[in-house]
Amino acid sequence: MRYFTKQQQGQKEAVPVDLEPLGQDRYRLTVNGKTFQVDALSVDQGTLSLLVDGQSYNVEFEENGDEIGTLVRGQVNRTDVADERKLRMRAAASSFSVEGRQIVLAPMPGKVVKVLVKVGEEVKEGQGLVVVEAMKMENELKSPKAGKVTEVFAKEGTAVENNAKLVVVE
């Protein structure tokens, strides 16, 4: 199966990744023309033990839609992952934009670490609005459209429930 991955920080182009199951929790992984043998064992919900070409890694991960957050050897990475079908669907939908009042909600329970905007501030589509920490990972929630921030419910240091209102952009 071919996937396209893009690191959320610094990577401009999506990288093709081929994943071929070999049976018994073994896989052949090809990234940028380089092939790796991978043994994967699910240790716990959201945790994998990987043996990649003889190197051992414990990987904690969290899925949030198409984005996967990973914690490997103390390093947090956020990667967008899409198969070929999803990539085509995104390209087709990219010509559409959201309109009207948009309420940004907490995608999961967590703690508000940072509020990046104030009421009355003009924001661009994709601009960070608030950072929520959940499962030891920081998630920057972004504006779904260009517009003006009309309400900010998020307060730094407070706990939020799943689907809690954080910011309104009009």
Side-chain angles (χ1 to χ4, degrees):
M1 174 70 95
R2 175 165 276 193
Y3 296 94
F4 294 88
T5 64
K6 184 175 177 185
Q7 295 289 323
Q8 293 298 323
Q9 292 183 350
Q11 188 177 336
K12 297 200 185 325
E13 299 275 328
V15 174
V17 175
D18 293 310
L19 186 63
E20 179 185 346
L22 302 173
Q24 299 181 0
D25 298 324
R26 293 181 53 235
Y27 300 86
R28 181 175 296 123
L29 178 69
T30 305
V31 182
N32 287 330
K34 187 166 181 173
T35 301
F36 303 91
Q37 295 295 322
V38 179
D39 289 295
L41 178 63
S42 180
V43 177
D44 199 1
Q45 181 72 16
T47 305
L48 289 175
S49 176
L50 300 178
L51 191 59
V52 181
D53 286 346
Q55 290 275 41
S56 179
Y57 301 90
N58 281 331
V59 180
E60 291 182 42
F61 66 95
E62 165 186 83
E63 292 183 54
N64 186 7
D66 294 338
E67 185 179 276
I68 297 176
T70 58
L71 176 63
V72 182
R73 294 184 175 171
Q75 179 81 28
V76 175
N77 290 296
R78 296 160 56 88
T79 306
D80 181 69
V81 179
D83 60 18
E84 292 178 271
R85 179 177 173 266
K86 201 169 278 186
L87 211 56
R88 283 193 302 273
M89 288 174 65
R90 284 182 187 173
S94 68
S95 60
F96 299 101
S97 62
V98 295
E99 294 182 8
R101 185 174 196 246
Q102 297 295 312
I103 302 171
V104 177
L105 305 174
M108 63 192 74
K111 177 181 170 187
V112 176
V113 177
K114 194 171 223 171
V115 177
L116 305 171
V117 293
K118 296 180 179 121
V119 172
E121 189 173 331
E122 292 289 330
V123 294
K124 297 177 185 168
E125 182 177 343
Q127 180 177 335
L129 302 173
V130 64
V131 178
V132 176
E133 181 182 273
M135 295 177 63
K136 300 181 209 167
M137 297 194 54
E138 290 188 356
N139 300 289
E140 184 178 73
L141 305 179
K142 300 179 181 193
S143 180
K145 64 175 257 176
K148 183 186 243 180
V149 176
T150 58
E151 294 179 79
V152 176
F153 299 99
K155 292 188 180 15
E156 288 184 18
T158 61
V160 291
E161 294 298 318
N162 188 34
N163 292 323
K165 289 182 184 178
L166 299 174
V167 178
V168 176
V169 179
E170 290 190 35

